[in-house]
Amino acid sequence: MLREALRPVVDLVYPPRCPLCGAGLAAQDGLCAYCWAELAIPGEPSCAKYQRPFGDGVPVGAICLPCLGDPPKHDGIAAGTLYNEASRKLVLAFKHGRRIALARLLAGLMAARLPPIEGQWMVVPVSLHRWRLWRRGFN
């Protein structure tokens, strides 16, 4: 409730802008339409282990040749976007530009790609050296 009450003040002091191109936005979170179009959201069909895109005609649940040749030691990866210039800018702004307000947007992109949870799951953070953690301020 407090967040909603203070939103007009925050928008006045910090006008909503697209984190990639700086275009004006209606709300503090999200991207402009042009930058949303620049993100490459993985779709189907794709590799069941790494979400590498396949061409048409490949059945859902197929595994790509690199994964067949050298099977990964995990059950799969859920990618919010494929790595391109737009996703690179978002990640670097979050990690090194101290733009922690991007966390909700990036988490939403990843959560949308997670498969339905069945059984027990374990989420493991990638450890960060203590000096890097101190310099960055978060992991």
Side-chain angles (χ1 to χ4, degrees), residues 116-134:
I117 296 176
E118 298 171 0
Q120 294 181 343
W121 276 52
M122 180 187 306
V123 177
V124 181
V126 176
S127 59
L128 192 63
H129 190 274
R130 65 177 168 259
W131 292 113
R132 247 191 202 172
L133 178 62
W134 179 78

Side-chain angles (χ1 to χ4, degrees), residues 1-27:
M1 227 168 125
L2 181 61
R3 181 186 305 188
E4 292 301 319
L6 292 177
R7 182 168 290 186
V9 175
V10 171
D11 288 349
L12 180 66
V13 176
Y14 301 106
R17 299 274 178 208
C18 175
L20 291 178
C21 70
L25 296 175

